[in-house]
Amino acid sequence: MRLTDLPLRQPAYVDLIDWNALSASDGQRLREFGLCEGASVEALHHGGLLGRGPIACKVGRMTVAMRRNHAAAITVRTGPTEEEDA
Amino acid sequence: MTGLPLIALVGNPNAGKSALFNALTGARQKLGNYPGVTVERKAGRFSLSDGRPIELVDLPGTYSLNPTSPDEQVTRDVILGKQQGERLPDALVVVVDASNLDNHLRFALELIALGLPTVVALNMVDLATRDGLELDAAILSRELGVPVISTVAVRKRGLDHLRTELESMLDGSAGKVRASTDQLDFDGLRKEARRIARAAIVRETPSRRMTAAVDRVLLHPVAGFVILLALLFVMFQAVFSWAAAPADMMEGWVTALGETVTAILPPGILHDFLLQGVVGGVGAVVVFLPQILILFFFILMLEATGYMARAAFLMDALMARVGLSGRAFIPLLSSFACAVPGIMATRTIADSKDRLTTILIAPLMTCSARLPVYGLIIAAFIPARSVGPGIGLQGLVLFLLYVAGIVGAMVAAWALRLTVTKGQSGGFLMEMPKYQWPRPQDIVIGLWQRAIIFLKRAGTIILMTNIILWVLASFPQAPAGMRQSEYSIAGRIAGGIHVLVEPIGFNRDISLALLPSMAAREVAVSAIATVYAIDAGDDEDAMNRTLGERLQGRWSLATALAFLAWFVFAPQCISTIAVTRRETNGWKWPMFMIGYLFALAYAAAGLTYWTAVALGLG
């Protein structure tokens, strides 16, 4: 499922990132935040009064915020966090 | 510059670099600019244990040596020895956050690979312990191949250790830097960082993370929003209520200084000049120092605790509606203090149209230079009574003026996004730092620097403008029966302006203040003070009344309100215009900004005046 559909506070890991859906600089920033295939993620908060705001999620030990269009480019898988070889 | 050994502090944003910098250098800091770019250079001095002085420079935080903004470019260029106006550092102190090792070590590895003498400061160890992490600095040091020192910026022991390490490093071989880091592969570094981090973490007890618990409340879609608004409201109330006592005290000093001038100097032109032009004018601005410091106190606290990023998160959905990035919220919030650093802070916005829109609306945020103007008018015309428990009417009016600026900015952003900065909106990508208690020392240093900047402004740009104004307003001498402020050169210029602004309720006093306050908004206050002092001349009664009391006698409430509305929008600040020109590389956008803001100011003042008159307040 996409990161946008991940229920809050359910540990998951990144399955696939559609880098082509992101601009080069946004892609670089996400990578610098530690987002990569295999990274552990957990959605923590949905922002915005009407729920259409950004998503705050935990990536490794960091908390990062991103808009839904970025989160939609990230496919995640729940289940036991298979300790990433990454 | 100096021949001292140079050490650069470098690391990720939120690694606690500035706190470490403050702890090492204390008050011995110097703010400047790198030549050719508008990036701030923050340098300071400290001594090694043998007394040798060292120059320490705090480089802008960045996630890698692959820059995406001018700030990050400076960090890269300094470290590679390519930055104009800066020598190659003799050593690097790489600051990493102990509780975010995986991520910060990747950048640390990138820096170590450059080959400069390097020490790693394993910072914020206390916060890592709080989160249940136990680390072994010795393992880390062995794996990285450079000394690693555990530091907590408030504790002396780690700092002493860091000094000793730097000392032996500087005694060693001089640094050479490898020309390029391009061959380093990002994924390889990431994997290596991860491996080292795992080796260095000796124990990890799952503990209740304070940040996550607090975020549940502060980032709650409803509660979080209410708290944000309440915080801003308290901030603006405090600006008025806390500042009252110190401001009265300073006003007392200014009056006493004026009396001293009168006592020492014989009546004459020098006496008038000092009393009216210098003490009266500059003094009228300086008494607002407490209010400005209270405002900065709140902004520094919001930044230091980590709340600022949460505010940006909460605001992003709203910002997106007017086509802005949530990132724009931080420059805009800084613009409440001053639009100049606010506009410079827009460099963290990657999308060029997002950035331009943010620059164009930044001057609408109520900067601290408006406080003297708002403060004077509100104190003179708005009764100090309570309109509810803990809510004063004066504070409420001030809050509404801030809201007017924000609403104006949002509407302007929306309109600009549909017209001159049309295009796809950029994104919002941001790290949310851990919450932490601000170190009192950091807040004090921050406030001290702001106070110095404000007093320097009062002593230079405001003083100069005021001296020129005094001369223009004092000559030629008016014959008996004529008002000096109308007969003088300044009065005649004001007469010309008056024709334009009379329809929106502005009197001659205001017309006279508008031109000099192009230099800086506070000048409006000092200009009015100077002109009244000249008009009062030797009339003791008039001299003994405060500026506010004199205004009450000369302005109607409708005029006062129109004046407030004007200042919400008017782009009266040379520094803002200059920084806009620099940041947009030309005159096109600053001219556009001046034009649209004056048009808005005129319309807002006019609407306020006509409405107030219709309500019988004229």
Side-chain angles (χ1 to χ4, degrees), chain A residues 20-50:
Chain A
N20 294 327
L22 303 164
S23 71
S25 65
D26 287 352
Q28 186 195 326
R29 198 34 45 98
L30 282 178
R31 258 190 255 260
E32 288 168 350
F33 283 165
L35 272 153
C36 57
E37 278 87 0
S40 64
V41 284
E42 186 184 334
L44 295 176
H45 306 277
H46 287 175
L49 275 172
L50 304 167

Coordinates of all heavy atoms in Angstrom, one line a residue, chain A residues 20-50:
Chain A
N20 N 10.8 8.5 -10.0 CA 10.4 9.3 -11.2 C 9.3 10.3 -10.9 O 9.1 11.2 -11.6 CB 10.1 8.4 -12.3 CG 11.2 7.6 -12.8 OD1 12.4 8.1 -12.8 ND2 11.0 6.4 -13.2
A21 N 8.5 9.9 -9.8 CA 7.4 10.8 -9.5 C 7.9 12.0 -8.6 O 7.1 12.9 -8.3 CB 6.4 10.0 -8.7
L22 N 9.2 12.0 -8.3 CA 9.7 13.1 -7.4 C 10.7 13.9 -8.2 O 11.4 13.4 -9.1 CB 10.4 12.5 -6.2 CG 9.6 11.6 -5.3 CD1 10.6 10.8 -4.5 CD2 8.7 12.4 -4.5
S23 N 10.7 15.2 -7.9 CA 11.8 16.0 -8.6 C 13.1 15.6 -8.1 O 13.2 15.0 -7.0 CB 11.5 17.5 -8.3 OG 11.8 17.8 -6.9
A24 N 14.2 16.0 -8.8 CA 15.5 15.6 -8.4 C 15.9 16.0 -7.0 O 16.4 15.3 -6.2 CB 16.5 16.1 -9.4
S25 N 15.5 17.3 -6.7 CA 15.9 17.8 -5.4 C 15.1 17.2 -4.3 O 15.6 16.9 -3.2 CB 15.9 19.4 -5.4 OG 14.6 19.8 -5.5
D26 N 13.8 17.0 -4.5 CA 13.0 16.4 -3.5 C 13.4 14.9 -3.2 O 13.5 14.5 -2.1 CB 11.5 16.4 -3.9 CG 10.9 17.7 -3.8 OD1 11.5 18.6 -3.3 OD2 9.7 17.9 -4.3
G27 N 13.8 14.3 -4.3 CA 14.3 12.9 -4.2 C 15.6 12.9 -3.3 O 15.7 12.0 -2.4
Q28 N 16.5 13.8 -3.6 CA 17.7 13.9 -2.9 C 17.4 14.1 -1.4 O 18.0 13.5 -0.5 CB 18.6 15.0 -3.4 CG 20.0 15.0 -2.7 CD 20.7 16.3 -3.0 OE1 20.6 16.9 -4.1 NE2 21.5 16.8 -2.0
R29 N 16.5 15.1 -1.1 CA 16.2 15.4 0.3 C 15.6 14.2 1.0 O 16.0 13.8 2.1 CB 15.2 16.6 0.3 CG 15.0 17.4 1.5 CD 16.1 17.7 2.5 NE 17.4 18.1 2.1 CZ 17.8 19.3 2.0 NH1 17.1 20.3 2.3 NH2 19.1 19.6 1.6
L30 N 14.7 13.4 0.3 CA 14.1 12.2 0.9 C 15.2 11.2 1.2 O 15.2 10.6 2.3 CB 13.1 11.6 0.0 CG 11.7 12.3 0.0 CD1 10.8 11.6 -1.0 CD2 11.1 12.3 1.4
R31 N 16.1 11.0 0.3 CA 17.3 10.1 0.5 C 18.1 10.6 1.7 O 18.5 9.8 2.5 CB 18.2 10.1 -0.7 CG 18.0 8.9 -1.6 CD 19.1 9.0 -2.6 NE 18.6 9.4 -3.9 CZ 18.3 8.6 -4.9 NH1 18.5 7.3 -4.7 NH2 17.8 9.0 -6.0
E32 N 18.3 11.9 1.8 CA 19.1 12.4 3.0 C 18.4 12.2 4.3 O 19.0 12.1 5.3 CB 19.4 13.9 2.7 CG 20.4 14.1 1.6 CD 20.6 15.5 1.2 OE1 19.7 16.4 1.6 OE2 21.5 15.8 0.5
F33 N 17.0 12.2 4.2 CA 16.3 11.9 5.4 C 16.3 10.4 5.8 O 15.8 10.0 6.8 CB 14.8 12.3 5.2 CG 14.5 13.8 5.3 CD1 13.3 14.3 4.8 CD2 15.5 14.6 5.8 CE1 13.1 15.6 4.9 CE2 15.2 16.0 5.9 CZ 14.0 16.5 5.4
G34 N 16.9 9.6 4.9 CA 17.1 8.2 5.2 C 16.0 7.3 4.5 O 15.9 6.1 4.9
L35 N 15.2 7.9 3.6 CA 14.2 7.1 3.0 C 14.9 6.3 1.8 O 15.5 6.9 0.9 CB 13.1 8.0 2.4 CG 12.0 8.2 3.4 CD1 11.3 9.5 3.1 CD2 11.0 7.1 3.4
C36 N 14.7 5.0 1.9 CA 15.2 4.1 0.8 C 14.5 2.8 1.0 O 13.8 2.6 2.0 CB 16.7 3.9 1.0 SG 17.1 3.2 2.6
E37 N 14.6 2.0 0.0 CA 13.9 0.7 0.0 C 14.5 0.0 1.2 O 15.7 -0.1 1.4 CB 14.2 -0.1 -1.3 CG 13.2 0.3 -2.4 CD 13.8 1.5 -3.3 OE1 14.8 2.0 -2.9 OE2 13.0 1.9 -4.2
G38 N 13.5 -0.5 2.0 CA 14.0 -1.3 3.2 C 13.9 -0.5 4.5 O 14.0 -1.1 5.6
A39 N 13.9 0.8 4.4 CA 13.9 1.7 5.7 C 12.6 1.4 6.4 O 11.5 1.2 5.8 CB 14.1 3.1 5.3
S40 N 12.7 1.5 7.8 CA 11.5 1.4 8.5 C 10.7 2.7 8.6 O 11.3 3.8 8.7 CB 11.8 0.9 10.0 OG 12.5 1.9 10.6
V41 N 9.4 2.6 8.4 CA 8.6 3.9 8.5 C 7.4 3.6 9.4 O 6.9 2.5 9.5 CB 8.1 4.3 7.1 CG1 9.1 5.0 6.3 CG2 7.4 3.2 6.4
E42 N 6.9 4.7 10.0 CA 5.7 4.6 10.8 C 5.0 6.0 10.6 O 5.6 7.0 10.9 CB 6.0 4.3 12.2 CG 4.9 4.1 13.1 CD 5.3 3.9 14.6 OE1 6.4 3.5 14.8 OE2 4.5 4.2 15.4
A43 N 3.7 6.0 10.2 CA 3.0 7.2 10.1 C 2.6 7.6 11.5 O 2.1 6.8 12.2 CB 1.8 7.1 9.2
L44 N 2.9 8.9 11.8 CA 2.6 9.3 13.2 C 1.4 10.3 13.3 O 0.6 10.2 14.2 CB 3.8 10.0 13.8 CG 5.0 9.1 14.0 CD1 6.2 10.0 14.5 CD2 4.7 8.0 15.0
H45 N 1.3 11.2 12.3 CA 0.3 12.3 12.4 C -0.1 12.7 11.0 O 0.7 12.8 10.1 CB 0.8 13.5 13.1 CG 1.4 13.2 14.5 ND1 0.6 13.1 15.6 CD2 2.6 13.0 14.9 CE1 1.4 12.8 16.6 NE2 2.6 12.8 16.2
H46 N -1.4 12.9 10.9 CA -1.9 13.6 9.7 C -2.2 15.0 10.0 O -2.9 15.3 10.9 CB -3.1 12.9 9.1 CG -2.8 11.5 8.5 ND1 -3.8 10.6 8.1 CD2 -1.6 10.9 8.3 CE1 -3.2 9.6 7.6 NE2 -1.9 9.7 7.7
G47 N -1.6 15.9 9.2 CA -1.8 17.3 9.5 C -3.1 17.9 8.9 O -3.7 17.3 8.0
G48 N -3.4 19.2 9.2 CA -4.5 19.8 8.6 C -5.8 19.5 9.3 O -6.1 18.4 9.6
L49 N -6.6 20.6 9.4 CA -7.9 20.4 10.1 C -8.8 19.4 9.4 O -9.6 18.7 10.1 CB -8.6 21.8 10.2 CG -8.1 22.7 11.4 CD1 -8.7 24.0 11.3 CD2 -8.5 22.0 12.7
L50 N -8.7 19.4 8.1 CA -9.6 18.5 7.4 C -8.9 17.2 6.9 O -9.4 16.5 6.1 CB -10.2 19.2 6.2 CG -10.9 20.5 6.6 CD1 -11.2 21.4 5.4 CD2 -12.2 20.2 7.4

